[in-house]
Amino acid sequence: GTLHVRSLAMGHDTAFASVSDFALGRGGSIVAYTASDTAATPHSTLRLLDLGTLSARTLEENSTALVHPAWAGGGTDRLTVFRSDISGVDTTWTIVLFTDPNGQNARRIVISGADAAAPGSALTILPTDSLRWTNDREGLLFNLRPTRRLSADPALINAIGKSDVVIWHWNDEELPPQRADTSERPVAAVEEYRLDAAKYVRLAEGTHVRFFLPPRSTHWIFAADNSAK
């Protein structure tokens, strides 16, 4: 869509095209927004818009998708955006964090989860706008969900070595005629990334449990056990 910015003092509008999402910084002087254009290369960008000068500059570019820009509560010194990465049949997500993005000491940190680099990693970051910061603003909490991988059944592979088209309903547990990986690795988890220590902390995990972070809470994690059918 198009983001329209109107100057109440001057009475004129400025339009920014192909905007997919935006977040207004505290104080109302700066906007972080993502722009998506299938005809452009790269496909998605994250930009900072200075409302005083109406000038925008690019912070991040990606060939697939950048979604849900968000400022940490209480300031404009921490900005996050979700970035998708497609590898084979998997789409994994990372969080790109900018500290002091509009200042002289800007820093870019890519958060992918503690197990992301491990071979056969079963979990990836859940790309929602429900990130939570700890009270000291040094810890970022996020959810993890399964990375679906299709089984390599030779009978379902065509002559050129690629799978035929498979159609399934969005909430099917199995992907017909292929199926998801059924190993006993965790299928849900909550992790924290500590900026001050530059490390990950696994807070909770399970094979049949879905975790969620309650709004405006940094003290509790709620879980729902879906193992009973």
Side-chain angles (χ1 to χ4, degrees), residues 32-55:
Y33 71 92
T34 51
S36 179
D37 186 352
T38 56
T41 302
H43 173 61
S44 293
T45 57
L46 170 67
R47 298 171 185 166
L48 277 187
L49 171 62
D50 186 325
L51 293 178
T53 62
L54 291 180
S55 60

Side-chain angles (χ1 to χ4, degrees), residues 65-89:
L66 295 167
V67 299
H68 299 315
W71 298 99
T76 56
D77 61 335
R78 283 165 170 72
L79 173 66
T80 57
V81 70
F82 290 96
R83 183 188 71 189
S84 70
D85 302 286
I86 299 175
S87 176
V89 297

Side-chain angles (χ1 to χ4, degrees), residues 2-4 19-25 31-34 46 68-71:
T2 302
L3 176 65
H4 293 273
V19 174
S20 54
D21 202 355
F22 69 92
L24 180 64
V31 175
Y33 71 92
T34 51
L46 170 67
H68 299 315
W71 298 99

Side-chain angles (χ1 to χ4, degrees), residues 148 150 165-176 178:
R148 286 186 179 271
L150 301 181
V165 173
V166 178
I167 300 176
W168 68 93
H169 191 264
W170 70 273
N171 62 354
D172 285 347
E173 292 187 1
E174 295 191 347
L175 312 185
Q178 298 169 310

Side-chain angles (χ1 to χ4, degrees), residues 92-179:
T92 58
W93 292 84
T94 54
I95 299 168
V96 183
L97 165 66
F98 296 90
T99 62
D100 195 22
N102 206 37
Q104 297 296 320
N105 300 311
R107 187 162 62 113
R108 176 181 179 273
I109 303 170
V110 177
I111 300 171
S112 54
D115 300 331
S121 175
L123 297 176
T124 186
I125 289 173
L126 181 65
T128 68
D129 53 1
S130 60
L131 297 174
R132 298 288 180 268
W133 287 89
T134 55
N135 289 337
D136 61 2
R137 291 164 48 83
E138 291 295 329
L140 179 64
L141 282 71
F142 53 91
N143 282 299
L144 298 169
R145 55 90 166 164
T147 299
R148 286 186 179 271
R149 287 180 167 81
L150 301 181
S151 61
D153 185 345
L156 301 173
I157 305 298
N158 62 25
I160 61 173
K162 295 182 179 179
S163 301
D164 291 327
V165 173
V166 178
I167 300 176
W168 68 93
H169 191 264
W170 70 273
N171 62 354
D172 285 347
E173 292 187 1
E174 295 191 347
L175 312 185
Q178 298 169 310
R179 63 183 179 82

Side-chain angles (χ1 to χ4, degrees), residues 200-219:
Y200 296 98
V201 180
R202 178 66 60 88
L203 301 178
E205 65 180 25
T207 55
H208 298 292
V209 179
R210 303 298 296 180
F211 296 96
F212 64 94
L213 304 173
R216 297 178 298 278
S217 173
T218 55
H219 299 284

